[in-house]
Amino acid sequence: MNRSRPDTLAEVGERAWLKRVRRLMAEDGAELPLGIGDDAAILPSAPGPLVVSTDALVEGVHFRFDWTTPRDLGHKALAVNLSDLAAMGARPLAAFLALSVPPQVRLADLTAFFLGLRAEGRKWGCPLAGGDMTRGPQWTLTVTVLGRLGVAGRKGRPAGPLRRDGARPGDWVYVTGWPGRSGAGREALRRGLSAAALARAHRRPVPRLREGAWLAALGCVDAALDLSDGLWDDAGKLAEASSVRLDLWRDALPVDPAVNRLARKLRRDPLDWVLFGGEDYELLLATRRRLDLARDWPAVEDLAPLSLIGRVAAGRGVRLLDAAGRPLPVRDRTWKHF
Amino acid sequence: MNRSRPDTLAEVGERAWLKRVRRLMAEDGAELPLGIGDDAAILPSAPGPLVVSTDALVEGVHFRFDWTTPRDLGHKALAVNLSDLAAMGARPLAAFLALSVPPQVRLADLTAFFLGLRAEGRKWGCPLAGGDMTRGPQWTLTVTVLGRLGVAGRKGRPAGPLRRDGARPGDWVYVTGWPGRSGAGREALRRGLSAAALARAHRRPVPRLREGAWLAALGCVDAALDLSDGLWDDAGKLAEASSVRLDLWRDALPVDPAVNRLARKLRRDPLDWVLFGGEDYELLLATRRRLDLARDWPAVEDLAPLSLIGRVAAGRGVRLLDAAGRPLPVRDRTWKHF
């Protein structure tokens, strides 16, 4: 171990560290009129409305370094915010980070975090344009992302935004990907079980930006949101915002085979994770026409699978129906923030 | 005490509380295409580059409830971010808040915080457009503000941005208002001394938005930043960004009479606060022509006082000069974040 190199933030000091961050991230923000380092960043003028979202992750509440590496965290901090843009059908422009860390934090961990953030940003064309770094008793990171809506059709009308309050009775309910993978992955990590794909879904969720933009361009999506608290709870939010009821079909819910395997091993009901696991970052949506997946969801676009899982009805709340259309009793196991 | 009314966030629950926030803030964001409550907010299309800044405040690090009320905090959280826009010469568009609080937080305190944020936003035309609320071991609040540059002259060229890297040897150095008031106010609060104006400067700093926009429109400002860490430290940042030296004239530094009174009482050097107190949120700037204050800084605009405090020279760093132009020894007492 080379003791002459500063090992912690307290040793190297804030200003020297910020210079390093600037060098690390500079290339990605090179197109911006003014990136990291001034009082504020300047983003170029662009047409159309702006889409903005902000989300915080708190150590010990949203993540633990026991099974999340600093690099994973960099990826995830940006990904969960990009997921909000995806849920509006927007494309990312730039990200901002407010980071609080204890002074004893190791520079290697900080660097790994920023490299994760940078890699995720490169994947989606979302450079870090500015931020703030302060001391705090634990890691707390707030990312704010800015995006723009795309255009749809030859007339160039704006695609989206996909709001959550537009669902109407009769709409078809779809979900992307595999809700439950992240929750099952968290459980596997907690128990030290090997389940690589599930663990990855938990540590490095993939924002459904391509899917969101595609859905917005389809022009038949009445409402959408991204799943952060779990399918059951978030379906309730969509229902409430739209003043409708969502009927979900139990047998139509997509369950990843790896989730099924873990459930069997732990003698759990896989639907516990699918409905209540949380942190899925899949998109839940209501469409006014039933999609023809072969035409509307082309494999060549490399989109996540899309599953028809229910229907919107007049009323309120969410119901889970069996194959005969009978409501099933549901005990809400959603994790409560407060 | 009416025990049937929920008193803490944990008792009322997150969703019910967020509804209340939405009601509280809805009117201010009524002009926005989509405000609080969806996955992301939508801001209207507007011409010109966007200015964005983000800042975090952590309980126990940046503020203590011993001498800051939740309402003060709401004001300050927004004000310190608006100060970054002011330092670019920008006008605010909208704000976003990520708030972490312990579950035991009293609803009365949360409400007071949001009322402070709302009042500050109304003062400057900056509605809260969205945010995120999570659990955390202490209050941590990150505000992100978006702004636009104004226009200058009859030709409508953009005014600003006032970057920090444009100062050149020969420039004149100015500062707005009274640096040191906030630091002295913090000291008075800590000691339980009565010094209302100083305490107010610490608890409710006023962002110099009018002054920043005015300076940007003048067209002769080469560099500017807002004072958050203290005049000495921030002058160093401006010097470093611009690759120049700043010579500050000790006898020209503006000292509020109340700061002088407190210094005499505590047998302190008032310049300790003026140079190192921090959290001033005044603007420090370098202009290529010496301003004619009667013409360039009209009283009718209700601008904070502007003081000529030094000159830019070739070199690096910051020097404090006496009346004869001799450098004075300075021991840097700036508070270090890490």
Side-chain angles (χ1 to χ4, degrees), chain A residues 232-303:
Chain A
W232 183 259
D233 195 67
D234 290 321
K237 285 179 204 149
L238 195 149
E240 188 177 348
S242 298
S243 302
V244 294
R245 189 180 77 220
L246 259 63
D247 286 338
L248 303 181
W249 307 327
R250 185 191 56 185
D251 298 348
L253 296 176
V255 184
D256 184 302
V259 170
N260 261 327
R261 274 197 300 278
L262 186 71
R264 266 200 309 279
K265 193 181 213 164
L266 301 178
R267 296 166 189 272
R268 289 274 298 270
D269 182 349
L271 287 192
D272 274 4
W273 293 317
V274 173
L275 291 173
F276 313 115
E279 297 196 89
D280 299 307
Y281 304 107
E282 300 291 357
L283 302 182
L284 177 71
L285 50 133
T287 64
R288 75 186 72 115
R289 69 174 171 83
R290 186 166 176 163
L291 300 181
D292 172 351
L293 289 183
R295 196 193 61 191
D296 293 327
W297 207 247
V300 66
E301 296 292 335
D302 200 21
L303 304 170

Coordinates of all heavy atoms in Angstrom, one line a residue, chain A residues 232-303:
Chain A
W232 N -48.2 -3.6 -7.9 CA -49.5 -3.4 -7.2 C -49.6 -1.9 -6.8 O -50.7 -1.3 -7.0 CB -49.6 -4.3 -6.0 CG -50.9 -4.2 -5.2 CD1 -51.1 -3.6 -4.1 CD2 -52.1 -4.8 -5.7 NE1 -52.4 -3.7 -3.8 CE2 -53.1 -4.5 -4.7 CE3 -52.4 -5.6 -6.7 CZ2 -54.4 -4.9 -4.8 CZ3 -53.8 -6.1 -6.8 CH2 -54.7 -5.7 -5.9
D233 N -48.7 -1.4 -6.1 CA -48.7 0.0 -5.6 C -48.8 1.0 -6.7 O -49.6 1.9 -6.7 CB -47.5 0.2 -4.7 CG -47.7 1.5 -3.8 OD1 -48.6 1.4 -2.9 OD2 -47.0 2.5 -4.0
D234 N -48.0 0.8 -7.7 CA -47.9 1.7 -8.8 C -49.1 1.7 -9.7 O -49.6 2.7 -10.2 CB -46.6 1.5 -9.6 CG -45.4 2.0 -8.8 OD1 -45.4 3.0 -8.1 OD2 -44.3 1.3 -8.8
A235 N -49.7 0.5 -9.8 CA -51.0 0.3 -10.5 C -52.0 1.2 -9.8 O -52.9 1.8 -10.4 CB -51.4 -1.1 -10.7
G236 N -52.0 1.1 -8.5 CA -52.9 1.9 -7.7 C -52.7 3.4 -7.9 O -53.7 4.2 -8.0
K237 N -51.5 3.9 -8.1 CA -51.2 5.3 -8.4 C -51.8 5.7 -9.8 O -52.4 6.8 -9.9 CB -49.7 5.6 -8.4 CG -49.1 5.6 -7.0 CD -47.6 5.9 -7.0 CE -47.0 5.3 -5.8 NZ -45.6 4.9 -6.0
L238 N -51.6 4.8 -10.7 CA -52.1 5.1 -12.1 C -53.7 5.2 -12.0 O -54.3 6.1 -12.6 CB -51.6 4.1 -13.1 CG -51.8 4.4 -14.6 CD1 -50.7 3.8 -15.4 CD2 -53.2 4.0 -15.1
A239 N -54.2 4.2 -11.3 CA -55.7 4.1 -11.2 C -56.2 5.4 -10.5 O -57.2 6.0 -10.9 CB -56.1 2.9 -10.4
E240 N -55.5 5.8 -9.4 CA -56.0 7.0 -8.7 C -55.8 8.2 -9.5 O -56.8 9.1 -9.6 CB -55.2 7.1 -7.4 CG -55.7 8.2 -6.5 CD -54.9 8.2 -5.2 OE1 -54.2 7.3 -4.9 OE2 -55.2 9.2 -4.4
A241 N -54.7 8.4 -10.2 CA -54.5 9.6 -11.0 C -55.5 9.7 -12.1 O -56.0 10.8 -12.5 CB -53.1 9.6 -11.6
S242 N -55.9 8.5 -12.6 CA -56.9 8.5 -13.8 C -58.3 8.4 -13.3 O -59.2 8.4 -14.2 CB -56.5 7.4 -14.7 OG -55.2 7.5 -15.3
S243 N -58.5 8.2 -12.0 CA -59.9 8.0 -11.5 C -60.6 6.8 -12.2 O -61.7 6.9 -12.7 CB -60.8 9.2 -11.7 OG -60.2 10.3 -11.0
V244 N -59.8 5.7 -12.2 CA -60.4 4.4 -12.8 C -59.9 3.3 -11.9 O -59.3 3.5 -10.9 CB -59.8 4.2 -14.2 CG1 -60.3 5.3 -15.2 CG2 -58.3 4.1 -14.2
R245 N -60.4 2.1 -12.3 CA -59.9 0.9 -11.6 C -59.1 0.1 -12.6 O -59.3 0.0 -13.8 CB -61.1 0.0 -11.2 CG -60.7 -1.2 -10.3 CD -61.9 -2.0 -9.9 NE -62.4 -2.8 -11.0 CZ -63.6 -3.1 -11.3 NH1 -64.6 -2.5 -10.7 NH2 -63.9 -3.9 -12.3
L246 N -58.0 -0.6 -12.1 CA -57.2 -1.5 -12.9 C -57.5 -2.9 -12.5 O -57.4 -3.2 -11.3 CB -55.7 -1.2 -12.7 CG -55.1 -0.4 -13.9 CD1 -55.7 1.0 -13.9 CD2 -53.6 -0.2 -13.7
D247 N -57.9 -3.7 -13.4 CA -58.1 -5.1 -13.2 C -56.9 -5.9 -13.8 O -56.7 -5.8 -15.0 CB -59.4 -5.7 -13.9 CG -60.6 -5.2 -13.1 OD1 -60.5 -4.9 -11.9 OD2 -61.7 -5.2 -13.7
L248 N -56.1 -6.5 -12.9 CA -54.9 -7.2 -13.4 C -55.2 -8.7 -13.4 O -55.9 -9.2 -12.5 CB -53.7 -7.0 -12.5 CG -53.3 -5.5 -12.3 CD1 -52.1 -5.4 -11.4 CD2 -53.0 -4.8 -13.7
W249 N -54.8 -9.4 -14.5 CA -55.1 -10.8 -14.6 C -53.9 -11.6 -14.1 O -52.8 -11.6 -14.6 CB -55.3 -11.1 -16.1 CG -56.3 -10.3 -16.8 CD1 -57.5 -9.8 -16.2 CD2 -56.3 -9.8 -18.1 NE1 -58.2 -9.0 -17.1 CE2 -57.5 -9.1 -18.3 CE3 -55.5 -10.0 -19.2 CZ2 -57.8 -8.5 -19.5 CZ3 -55.8 -9.4 -20.4 CH2 -57.0 -8.7 -20.6
R250 N -54.2 -12.3 -13.0 CA -53.1 -13.0 -12.3 C -52.3 -13.9 -13.3 O -51.0 -13.9 -13.3 CB -53.6 -13.8 -11.1 CG -52.4 -14.5 -10.4 CD -52.9 -15.5 -9.4 NE -53.7 -16.6 -10.1 CZ -54.3 -17.5 -9.4 NH1 -54.3 -17.6 -8.1 NH2 -55.0 -18.4 -10.1
D251 N -53.0 -14.7 -14.1 CA -52.3 -15.6 -14.9 C -51.6 -15.0 -16.1 O -50.8 -15.7 -16.8 CB -53.3 -16.7 -15.4 CG -53.9 -17.4 -14.3 OD1 -53.4 -17.3 -13.1 OD2 -54.9 -18.2 -14.5
A252 N -51.8 -13.7 -16.3 CA -51.1 -13.1 -17.4 C -49.8 -12.3 -17.0 O -49.1 -11.8 -17.8 CB -52.1 -12.1 -18.1
L253 N -49.6 -12.3 -15.6 CA -48.5 -11.5 -15.2 C -47.2 -12.2 -15.6 O -47.0 -13.4 -15.4 CB -48.5 -11.4 -13.6 CG -49.7 -10.6 -13.1 CD1 -49.7 -10.6 -11.5 CD2 -49.6 -9.1 -13.6
P254 N -46.2 -11.5 -16.2 CA -45.0 -12.2 -16.7 C -44.1 -12.5 -15.5 O -43.9 -11.6 -14.6 CB -44.4 -11.1 -17.6 CG -44.9 -9.8 -17.1 CD -46.2 -10.1 -16.5
V255 N -43.7 -13.8 -15.4 CA -42.8 -14.2 -14.3 C -41.5 -14.7 -14.9 O -41.6 -15.7 -15.6 CB -43.5 -15.2 -13.4 CG1 -42.5 -15.5 -12.2 CG2 -44.8 -14.7 -12.8
D256 N -40.4 -14.1 -14.6 CA -39.1 -14.6 -15.1 C -38.9 -16.0 -14.5 O -39.1 -16.2 -13.3 CB -38.1 -13.6 -14.6 CG -36.7 -13.9 -15.2 OD1 -36.2 -15.1 -14.9 OD2 -36.1 -13.1 -15.8
P257 N -38.4 -16.9 -15.4 CA -38.2 -18.3 -14.8 C -37.2 -18.3 -13.6 O -37.4 -19.1 -12.7 CB -37.6 -19.0 -16.0 CG -38.0 -18.3 -17.2 CD -38.2 -16.9 -16.8
A258 N -36.3 -17.4 -13.6 CA -35.3 -17.3 -12.5 C -36.0 -16.9 -11.2 O -35.6 -17.3 -10.1 CB -34.2 -16.3 -12.9
V259 N -37.0 -16.0 -11.4 CA -37.8 -15.6 -10.2 C -38.6 -16.9 -9.7 O -38.7 -17.1 -8.5 CB -38.8 -14.5 -10.6 CG1 -39.8 -14.2 -9.4 CG2 -38.0 -13.2 -10.9
N260 N -39.1 -17.6 -10.6 CA -39.8 -18.9 -10.2 C -38.9 -19.8 -9.5 O -39.3 -20.4 -8.5 CB -40.4 -19.5 -11.5 CG -41.9 -19.2 -11.7 OD1 -42.6 -19.1 -10.7 ND2 -42.3 -19.1 -12.9
R261 N -37.7 -20.0 -10.0 CA -36.8 -20.9 -9.4 C -36.4 -20.5 -8.0 O -36.4 -21.3 -7.1 CB -35.5 -21.0 -10.3 CG -35.5 -22.0 -11.4 CD -34.1 -22.3 -11.9 NE -33.4 -21.1 -12.4 CZ -33.5 -20.6 -13.6 NH1 -34.4 -21.1 -14.5 NH2 -32.8 -19.5 -14.0
L262 N -36.2 -19.2 -7.8 CA -35.8 -18.7 -6.5 C -37.0 -18.9 -5.5 O -36.9 -19.2 -4.4 CB -35.4 -17.2 -6.5 CG -34.9 -16.7 -5.2 CD1 -33.5 -17.3 -4.9 CD2 -34.8 -15.1 -5.2
A263 N -38.2 -18.6 -6.0 CA -39.4 -18.7 -5.2 C -39.6 -20.2 -4.7 O -39.9 -20.4 -3.6 CB -40.6 -18.3 -6.0
R264 N -39.4 -21.1 -5.6 CA -39.5 -22.6 -5.3 C -38.4 -22.9 -4.2 O -38.8 -23.5 -3.2 CB -39.2 -23.4 -6.5 CG -40.5 -23.9 -7.2 CD -40.4 -25.1 -8.1 NE -39.2 -25.0 -9.0 CZ -39.3 -24.3 -10.1 NH1 -40.4 -23.7 -10.5 NH2 -38.2 -24.3 -10.9
K265 N -37.2 -22.4 -4.4 CA -36.1 -22.7 -3.5 C -36.5 -22.1 -2.1 O -36.2 -22.8 -1.1 CB -34.9 -22.0 -4.0 CG -33.6 -22.4 -3.3 CD -32.4 -21.7 -4.0 CE -31.1 -22.4 -4.0 NZ -30.2 -21.8 -5.0
L266 N -37.0 -20.9 -2.0 CA -37.3 -20.3 -0.7 C -38.8 -20.5 -0.3 O -39.2 -19.9 0.7 CB -37.1 -18.8 -0.8 CG -35.6 -18.4 -1.2 CD1 -35.5 -16.8 -1.4 CD2 -34.6 -18.9 -0.2
R267 N -39.5 -21.4 -1.0 CA -40.9 -21.6 -0.7 C -41.7 -20.3 -0.5 O -42.4 -20.1 0.4 CB -41.0 -22.4 0.6 CG -40.4 -23.8 0.5 CD -40.2 -24.4 1.9 NE -39.4 -25.7 1.8 CZ -40.0 -26.9 1.5 NH1 -41.3 -27.0 1.4 NH2 -39.2 -27.9 1.4
R268 N -41.5 -19.5 -1.5 CA -42.2 -18.2 -1.5 C -43.1 -18.2 -2.8 O -42.9 -18.9 -3.7 CB -41.2 -17.0 -1.7 CG -40.4 -16.8 -0.5 CD -41.1 -15.8 0.5 NE -41.4 -14.5 -0.1 CZ -40.6 -13.5 0.0 NH1 -39.4 -13.6 0.7 NH2 -40.9 -12.3 -0.5
D269 N -44.1 -17.3 -2.7 CA -45.0 -17.1 -3.9 C -44.3 -16.1 -4.8 O -44.0 -15.0 -4.4 CB -46.3 -16.5 -3.4 CG -47.3 -16.3 -4.6 OD1 -46.9 -16.4 -5.7 OD2 -48.5 -16.1 -4.3
P270 N -44.0 -16.5 -6.0 CA -43.2 -15.5 -6.9 C -44.0 -14.2 -7.1 O -43.4 -13.2 -7.3 CB -43.1 -16.3 -8.2 CG -44.1 -17.4 -8.2 CD -44.3 -17.8 -6.7
L271 N -45.3 -14.3 -7.0 CA -46.1 -13.0 -7.2 C -45.8 -12.0 -6.1 O -46.1 -10.8 -6.3 CB -47.6 -13.3 -7.2 CG -48.1 -14.0 -8.5 CD1 -49.6 -14.0 -8.6 CD2 -47.5 -13.4 -9.7
D272 N -45.3 -12.5 -4.9 CA -44.9 -11.5 -3.9 C -43.9 -10.5 -4.5 O -44.0 -9.3 -4.2 CB -44.3 -12.2 -2.7 CG -45.3 -12.7 -1.7 OD1 -46.5 -12.5 -2.0 OD2 -44.9 -13.3 -0.7
W273 N -43.0 -11.0 -5.2 CA -42.0 -10.1 -5.8 C -42.6 -9.4 -7.0 O -42.3 -8.2 -7.2 CB -40.7 -10.9 -6.2 CG -40.0 -11.4 -5.0 CD1 -39.8 -10.8 -3.9 CD2 -39.4 -12.7 -4.9 NE1 -39.1 -11.6 -3.0 CE2 -38.9 -12.8 -3.6 CE3 -39.4 -13.9 -5.7 CZ2 -38.2 -13.9 -3.1 CZ3 -38.7 -15.0 -5.2 CH2 -38.1 -15.0 -3.9
V274 N -43.4 -10.1 -7.9 CA -43.9 -9.5 -9.1 C -44.8 -8.3 -8.7 O -44.8 -7.2 -9.3 CB -44.7 -10.5 -9.9 CG1 -45.4 -9.8 -11.1 CG2 -43.8 -11.6 -10.4
L275 N -45.6 -8.4 -7.6 CA -46.5 -7.4 -7.2 C -46.0 -6.4 -6.3 O -46.3 -5.2 -6.3 CB -47.8 -8.0 -6.6 CG -48.7 -8.8 -7.6 CD1 -49.8 -9.5 -6.8 CD2 -49.3 -7.9 -8.6
F276 N -45.1 -6.8 -5.4 CA -44.7 -6.0 -4.3 C -43.2 -5.8 -4.2 O -42.7 -5.1 -3.2 CB -45.2 -6.6 -2.9 CG -46.6 -7.0 -3.0 CD1 -46.9 -8.3 -2.8 CD2 -47.6 -6.0 -3.1 CE1 -48.3 -8.7 -2.8 CE2 -48.9 -6.4 -3.2 CZ -49.3 -7.8 -3.0
G277 N -42.4 -6.4 -5.0 CA -40.9 -6.3 -4.9 C -40.3 -4.9 -5.0 O -39.5 -4.5 -4.2
G278 N -40.9 -4.2 -6.0 CA -40.4 -2.8 -6.1 C -39.1 -2.7 -6.9 O -38.4 -3.7 -7.2
E279 N -38.7 -1.5 -7.2 CA -37.5 -1.1 -8.0 C -37.4 -1.9 -9.3 O -36.3 -2.3 -9.7 CB -36.3 -1.4 -7.1 CG -36.2 -0.6 -5.8 CD -34.9 -0.6 -5.2 OE1 -34.0 0.3 -5.6 OE2 -34.6 -1.4 -4.3
D280 N -38.5 -2.1 -9.9 CA -38.5 -2.8 -11.2 C -38.1 -1.9 -12.4 O -37.4 -2.3 -13.3 CB -39.9 -3.3 -11.5 CG -40.4 -4.3 -10.5 OD1 -39.7 -5.3 -10.2 OD2 -41.5 -4.1 -9.9
Y281 N -38.5 -0.7 -12.3 CA -38.2 0.3 -13.4 C -38.7 -0.2 -14.7 O -38.1 0.0 -15.8 CB -36.8 0.7 -13.4 CG -36.5 1.3 -12.0 CD1 -35.7 0.6 -11.1 CD2 -37.1 2.5 -11.6 CE1 -35.5 1.1 -9.8 CE2 -36.9 3.0 -10.3 CZ -36.1 2.3 -9.4 OH -36.0 2.8 -8.2
E282 N -39.8 -1.0 -14.7 CA -40.5 -1.4 -15.9 C -41.6 -0.3 -16.1 O -41.9 0.5 -15.2 CB -41.1 -2.8 -15.8 CG -40.2 -3.9 -15.5 CD -39.3 -4.2 -16.7 OE1 -39.4 -3.6 -17.8 OE2 -38.4 -5.1 -16.6
L283 N -42.1 -0.3 -17.3 CA -43.2 0.7 -17.6 C -44.6 -0.1 -17.5 O -44.7 -1.1 -18.1 CB -43.0 1.3 -19.0 CG -41.7 2.0 -19.2 CD1 -41.7 2.6 -20.7 CD2 -41.5 3.1 -18.2
L284 N -45.5 0.6 -16.9 CA -46.9 0.1 -16.8 C -47.7 1.1 -17.7 O -47.6 2.3 -17.5 CB -47.4 0.1 -15.4 CG -48.8 -0.3 -15.2 CD1 -49.0 -1.8 -15.5 CD2 -49.3 0.0 -13.8
L285 N -48.6 0.6 -18.6 CA -49.3 1.5 -19.4 C -50.6 1.0 -19.8 O -51.0 -0.1 -19.7 CB -48.5 1.7 -20.7 CG -48.0 0.5 -21.4 CD1 -48.3 0.6 -22.9 CD2 -46.5 0.3 -21.2
A286 N -51.5 2.0 -20.2 CA -52.8 1.7 -20.6 C -53.0 2.3 -22.0 O -52.6 3.4 -22.3 CB -53.8 2.4 -19.7
T287 N -53.5 1.4 -22.9 CA -53.6 1.9 -24.3 C -55.1 1.8 -24.7 O -55.8 0.9 -24.3 CB -52.8 0.9 -25.3 OG1 -53.4 -0.4 -25.2 CG2 -51.3 0.8 -24.9
R288 N -55.4 2.7 -25.6 CA -56.8 2.7 -26.0 C -57.1 1.7 -27.1 O -58.3 1.4 -27.3 CB -57.2 4.1 -26.5 CG -56.8 4.6 -27.8 CD -57.2 6.1 -28.0 NE -56.3 6.9 -27.1 CZ -55.4 7.8 -27.6 NH1 -55.3 8.0 -28.9 NH2 -54.6 8.5 -26.8
R289 N -56.1 1.2 -27.8 CA -56.4 0.0 -28.6 C -55.5 -1.1 -28.2 O -54.4 -0.9 -27.7 CB -56.2 0.4 -30.1 CG -54.8 0.7 -30.6 CD -54.7 0.9 -32.1 NE -53.4 1.4 -32.5 CZ -52.3 0.6 -32.6 NH1 -52.5 -0.7 -32.5 NH2 -51.2 1.1 -33.0
R290 N -56.0 -2.3 -28.4 CA -55.2 -3.5 -28.1 C -54.1 -3.6 -29.2 O -54.3 -3.5 -30.4 CB -56.1 -4.7 -28.2 CG -55.4 -6.0 -27.8 CD -56.4 -7.1 -27.6 NE -55.7 -8.3 -27.2 CZ -56.3 -9.4 -26.6 NH1 -57.6 -9.4 -26.4 NH2 -55.6 -10.5 -26.3
L291 N -52.9 -3.8 -28.7 CA -51.8 -3.7 -29.6 C -51.6 -5.0 -30.3 O -51.9 -6.1 -29.8 CB -50.5 -3.5 -28.8 CG -50.4 -2.1 -28.0 CD1 -49.1 -2.0 -27.3 CD2 -50.6 -0.9 -28.9
D292 N -51.2 -4.9 -31.6 CA -50.8 -6.1 -32.4 C -49.3 -6.1 -32.2 O -48.5 -5.4 -32.9 CB -51.2 -5.8 -33.8 CG -50.6 -6.9 -34.8 OD1 -49.8 -7.7 -34.3 OD2 -51.0 -6.8 -35.9
L293 N -48.8 -7.0 -31.3 CA -47.4 -7.0 -30.9 C -46.5 -7.2 -32.1 O -45.4 -6.6 -32.2 CB -47.2 -8.0 -29.8 CG -47.7 -7.5 -28.4 CD1 -47.4 -8.5 -27.4 CD2 -47.3 -6.1 -28.1
A294 N -46.9 -8.1 -33.1 CA -46.1 -8.3 -34.2 C -45.8 -7.0 -35.0 O -44.7 -6.8 -35.5 CB -46.7 -9.4 -35.1
R295 N -46.8 -6.2 -35.0 CA -46.6 -5.0 -35.8 C -46.2 -3.8 -34.9 O -45.3 -3.0 -35.3 CB -48.0 -4.6 -36.4 CG -48.0 -3.6 -37.6 CD -49.4 -3.1 -37.9 NE -49.9 -2.4 -36.7 CZ -51.2 -2.0 -36.6 NH1 -52.1 -2.3 -37.5 NH2 -51.6 -1.4 -35.5
D296 N -46.8 -3.7 -33.8 CA -46.5 -2.5 -32.9 C -45.3 -2.6 -32.1 O -44.8 -1.6 -31.5 CB -47.7 -2.3 -31.9 CG -49.0 -1.9 -32.7 OD1 -48.9 -1.2 -33.7 OD2 -50.1 -2.3 -32.2
W297 N -44.7 -3.8 -32.0 CA -43.6 -4.0 -31.1 C -42.5 -4.8 -31.7 O -42.2 -6.0 -31.3 CB -44.2 -4.8 -29.8 CG -43.4 -4.5 -28.6 CD1 -42.6 -5.4 -27.9 CD2 -43.3 -3.3 -27.8 NE1 -42.1 -4.9 -26.8 CE2 -42.5 -3.6 -26.7 CE3 -43.8 -2.0 -28.0 CZ2 -42.1 -2.6 -25.8 CZ3 -43.5 -1.0 -27.1 CH2 -42.7 -1.3 -26.0
P298 N -41.9 -4.3 -32.8 CA -41.1 -5.1 -33.7 C -39.8 -5.6 -33.0 O -39.1 -4.7 -32.3 CB -40.8 -4.2 -34.8 CG -41.0 -2.8 -34.3 CD -42.1 -2.9 -33.3
A299 N -39.5 -6.8 -33.1 CA -38.3 -7.4 -32.5 C -37.0 -6.7 -32.9 O -36.1 -6.5 -32.1 CB -38.2 -8.9 -32.8
V300 N -37.0 -6.1 -34.1 CA -35.8 -5.5 -34.7 C -35.4 -4.3 -33.9 O -34.3 -3.8 -33.9 CB -36.0 -5.2 -36.2 CG1 -37.1 -4.1 -36.4 CG2 -34.7 -4.7 -36.8
E301 N -36.4 -3.7 -33.2 CA -36.1 -2.5 -32.4 C -35.4 -2.8 -31.1 O -35.1 -1.9 -30.3 CB -37.4 -1.7 -32.1 CG -38.1 -1.1 -33.3 CD -37.2 0.0 -34.0 OE1 -36.4 0.6 -33.3 OE2 -37.4 0.1 -35.2
D302 N -35.3 -4.1 -30.8 CA -34.6 -4.5 -29.6 C -35.3 -4.0 -28.3 O -34.6 -3.5 -27.4 CB -33.1 -4.0 -29.6 CG -32.2 -4.8 -28.6 OD1 -32.6 -6.0 -28.3 OD2 -31.2 -4.3 -28.2
L303 N -36.6 -4.1 -28.3 CA -37.4 -3.6 -27.2 C -37.6 -4.7 -26.2 O -37.5 -5.9 -26.6 CB -38.8 -3.2 -27.7 CG -38.8 -2.1 -28.8 CD1 -40.2 -1.9 -29.4 CD2 -38.2 -0.8 -28.2

